[in-house]
Amino acid sequence: MTILADLRSRTHTWHRPSAVAAAALAVVALLCVAAMVLDQRTLGGAPLWAKPFKFAVSGALYFATWSWLVSLLPRFRRTAAGLTNLLVLIFAAEYVLLVFQAARGRASHFNVETPQDAAIFGTMAAMIAVLWVATLALTVLVLFTKVPDRASRWAVRTGAVLSLAGISLGQLMTNPTAQQLAQWKSGGRPSMVGGHTVGLEDGGPGLPILGWSTVGGDLRIPHFVGMHALQALPLLAIALVALAARFPRLRDDVVRARLVLIGAAGYAGLIALVTWQALRAQPIVHPDAATLGAFAVLAAAVGLGSWAAVRVR
């Protein structure tokens, strides 16, 4: 059974609480768009409700994917369902705190300006740690899931592992910046501890909605790219199945599995590349020659690997 057929046949067995959470977050994302139109306030140079919007979209994708993945498990499904229920509860609580801070016009992450802000950020940090552990446990269960179609199997496994790595990259944003450390050394007390912009303070010019810095490195980019491998690689497997009707060579599941593995390797390389770029304080929209050269090598390797995967019998 292919991943495409599996999506059609298993919908009724998907994990219901996470499916409901995904649908609810999709509605919340639309409400955030309305809020951005009606409430023109900004925070750190970005629309006040842009962050809740991004979290809602990302959460909807995350829970829709896990709702489906839990249905694939031949064993330990009850354990996986319990872990996924925990993820829903943690994310919901974290999102309430995020919206609460947005409504107050306050930053939710890294903000320690007041005791209340510090308590909220500390609570959210603890929630993220539990979410990471639960995701790790679910990833281990997925690694031992036997999906009949080889391409689908490797898409699920590599996507889960890379997604966990992407979540882990969020830890880079919790380290104090040089400016914050300097404040401490001089006897001051910074209002923020950590940040996502490398080389500059948070809040400068950024891309619309996404907010990614256009003047410095931004650690949110590798975090985002890595986390959504869980959607990108299964979508690649689905696309290969759809293309098989036109390209007979793709009807061979071995060929599709090779292409998925090459895609996963290329995706891992992309995560490494955008992480390297961000850590060098380089904005995503202004790559230097080294970044462009590395990207060209990565693209060429994926292209040649894909050609070989299709040609070699």
Side-chain angles (χ1 to χ4, degrees), residues 12 25 39 55 100 116-117 125 129 156 164 167 169 176 192-193 200 211 225 237 244 251 253-254 276 279 300:
H12 66 285
L25 285 168
D39 187 349
F55 269 67
F100 174 71
Q116 184 180 29
D117 292 328
V156 167
L164 184 65
I167 294 173
L169 287 172
M192 306 286 281
V193 177
L200 298 167
V225 173
R251 295 170 192 167
D253 69 338
V254 174
W276 179 56
L279 290 173

Side-chain angles (χ1 to χ4, degrees), residues 239-251:
L240 292 174
V241 170
L243 289 171
R246 185 173 181 181
F247 301 100
R249 190 78 179 100
L250 295 180
R251 295 170 192 167

